[in-house]
């Protein structure tokens, strides 16, 4: 990212202000999140990164539930994603599974005993050591599957993909 690109904090005066990283162009999910990762790594503070789609609504307990899960067992943490228009229905239970032989992907719809292969990028939290060890998103993937590819690389490094009981809509 060019040094001249602006970082704007909104609103001011909060203990943990929101930081908007301007890229000036839609570079896709991977490269867009990498711009934020670059900012976070350069700043060097904070323990966790929470990627959250801008069209989600979070339950007021979601962040604390995700942090509790992350503190208990570091790795990549997801949350339960429900349909906004039908909140009783689960869209994805944190992530899902991929068959390596065929590449077939399926979303978890309930809590499973088997560990997840990936966490959906709609709500994905990781600690700084995971970001350091796994690296950033593959920028060659503009949209879709970059979260899966990231989790595959993470799992090869022994990083767990887990789900908290936090909800996003």
């Amino acid at each position: 990212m060019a040094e001249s690109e602006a970082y704007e904090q909104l609103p001011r005066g909060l203990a943990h202000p929101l930081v908007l990283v301007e890229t000036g162009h839609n570079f896709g999910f991977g490269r867009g999140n990498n711009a934020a990762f670059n900012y976070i790594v350069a700043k060097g503070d904070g323990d966790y990164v929470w990627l959250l789609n801008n069209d989600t609504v979070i339950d007021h307990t979601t962040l604390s539930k995700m942090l509790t899960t992350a503190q208990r067992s570091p790795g990549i943490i997801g949350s339960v994603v429900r349909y906004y228009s039908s909140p009783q229905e689960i869209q994805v239970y944190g992530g899902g599974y991929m068959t390596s032989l065929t590449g077939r992907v399926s979303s978890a719809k309930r809590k499973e005993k088997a560990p997840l292969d990936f966490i959906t990028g709609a709500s994905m939290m990781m600690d700084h050591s995971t970001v350091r060890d796994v690296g950033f998103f593959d920028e060659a993937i503009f949209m879709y599957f970059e979260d899966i590819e990231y989790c595959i690389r993470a799992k090869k490094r022994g990083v767990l993909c887990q789900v908290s009981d936090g909800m996003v809509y």
Side-chain angles (χ1 to χ4, degrees):
M1 217 184 312
E3 198 171 309
S4 63
E5 293 183 37
Y7 299 102
E8 182 179 345
Q9 294 186 353
L10 305 167
R12 303 204 185 279
L14 298 176
H16 303 285
L18 171 68
V19 177
L20 178 63
V21 179
E22 294 279 353
T23 62
H25 183 73
N26 179 3
F27 291 111
F29 181 90
R31 189 168 171 192
N33 281 307
N34 286 350
F37 282 163
N38 279 314
Y39 173 81
I40 292 163
V41 168
K43 192 155 169 47
D45 64 351
D47 297 324
Y48 298 94
V49 175
W50 185 14
L51 304 179
L52 185 65
N53 279 6
N54 65 347
D55 62 349
T56 55
V57 175
I58 62 169
D59 181 83
H60 71 282
T61 63
T62 300
L63 179 57
S64 62
K65 288 179 178 181
M66 291 180 79
L67 286 171
T68 298
T69 303
Q71 290 164 349
R72 188 174 47 240
S73 182
I76 302 174
I77 312 301
S79 57
V80 180
V81 180
R82 295 182 176 269
Y83 290 100
Y84 183 78
S85 61
S86 186
Q88 70 284 0
E89 190 177 349
I90 294 175
Q91 182 177 1
V92 60
Y93 198 89
Y97 306 95
M98 187 183 97
T99 306
S100 58
L101 183 62
T102 64
R104 184 174 183 267
V105 174
S106 61
S107 296
K109 298 294 184 177
R110 64 185 178 284
K111 193 171 195 166
E112 302 278 351
K113 291 186 184 205
L116 294 174
D117 291 329
F118 67 89
I119 296 298
T120 184
S123 178
M124 174 188 244
M125 177 184 283
M126 58 208 90
D127 57 89
H128 272 237
S129 65
T130 298
V131 175
R132 251 189 330 275
D133 293 346
V134 177
F136 293 0
F137 286 98
D138 183 343
E139 294 184 2
I141 307 170
F142 180 81
M143 185 171 63
Y144 303 121
F145 301 105
E146 54 280 268
D147 48 1
I148 296 171
E149 187 277 334
Y150 189 86
C151 290
I152 289 169
R153 279 190 286 131
K155 284 187 75 172
K156 287 180 180 176
R157 295 181 162 279
V159 176
L160 296 175
C161 292
Q162 308 167 82
V163 184
S164 74
D165 290 330
M167 304 280 177
V168 299
Y169 303 88

